[in-house]
Amino acid sequence: VGGTAAIPSGFGKPDTGIIALVSFRDLLFLGTGSHTKNDAELWVSRDWGLTWEQVAGERVAIRLALGSQSHYLQDLIVFQDVLYAAVGNPEQGAEIWRTRDGWTWDAVVGVPSRYPAGMGHTDWDMIFAMEVFRDHLYAALTSFKGETTGVLWRSHDGEVWDVVPLEEPFAASSHQHGF
């Protein structure tokens, strides 16, 4: 739209893209990643996107599941006044993290939490989307590698998750990303 970019392309990394964006507690959060590298990062802006500060990733000590194997921060969503981050991890399985203040993060899915990464299935390495619908948070887990069909999980409180049974054609294994 004109003007000068607030950040360099790819946040200074050639194969990194902006994947998720959400406002939370008067802050703007942005998730980045790459399908070819371990570049998942979380950034925050306090001034409507004019300047950015890294919250998590390789240049910041805060882990937020963005270890050496996390390729992308796939989705960001607010549910019940809590910010959730979906992180793709092709080695250990997808993870979901959350924060009540934007700075302190806890695992919801992944270590350490009650649910293992990928909901116990390492092939579910990507959370394709999260959405709030009728007082539930939904997470669509799938395989970036295309080795398994996707699965839909939901939670009424962000703590307890249940699988949502899918009927044909959504349960068919021929669908890339499961859906």
Side-chain angles (χ1 to χ4, degrees):
V1 181
T4 305
I7 51 175
S9 176
F11 281 78
K13 295 180 178 183
D15 292 334
T16 298
I18 297 169
I19 299 174
L21 185 67
V22 70
S23 65
F24 177 70
R25 301 208 183 274
D26 209 28
L27 300 169
L28 188 59
F29 286 85
L30 180 148
T32 69
S34 167
H35 291 291
T36 60
K37 295 182 180 177
N38 303 323
D39 280 344
E41 294 179 348
L42 180 65
W43 294 76
V44 66
S45 176
R46 302 169 196 256
D47 57 9
W48 310 284
L50 296 176
T51 60
W52 293 89
E53 172 186 351
Q54 191 177 17
V55 175
E58 73 175 349
R59 294 184 293 263
V60 175
I62 300 171
R63 183 174 178 274
L64 179 65
L66 302 179
S68 62
Q69 299 301 318
S70 297
H71 283 218
Y72 38 83
L73 200 150
Q74 187 66 36
D75 204 358
L76 295 165
I77 194 165
V78 178
F79 174 64
Q80 297 179 348
D81 204 33
V82 176
L83 175 59
Y84 289 80
V87 180
N89 186 321
E91 300 299 321
Q92 299 168 3
E95 298 178 336
I96 300 175
W97 289 73
R98 71 176 172 195
T99 180
R100 295 186 190 320
D101 62 9
W103 305 104
T104 305
W105 292 82
D106 298 305
V108 175
V109 175
V111 177
S113 76
R114 89 170 24 167
Y115 298 95
M119 295 294 193
H121 197 303
T122 57
D123 283 342
W124 290 331
D125 56 0
M126 178 171 72
I127 297 173
F128 197 66
M130 290 191 299
E131 187 60 53
V132 176
F133 180 68
R134 294 189 180 166
D135 299 323
H136 283 78
L137 176 60
Y138 287 79
L141 283 79
T142 190
S143 174
F144 179 70
K145 300 172 244 179
E147 297 172 4
T148 186
T149 55
V151 63
L152 187 62
W153 288 77
R154 74 176 171 200
S155 175
H156 69 280
D157 61 2
E159 295 277 337
V160 177
W161 291 81
D162 298 303
V163 69
V164 178
L166 297 177
E167 301 292 328
E168 294 291 339
F170 301 107
S173 61
S174 62
H175 295 289
Q176 184 176 9
H177 299 303
F179 300 101

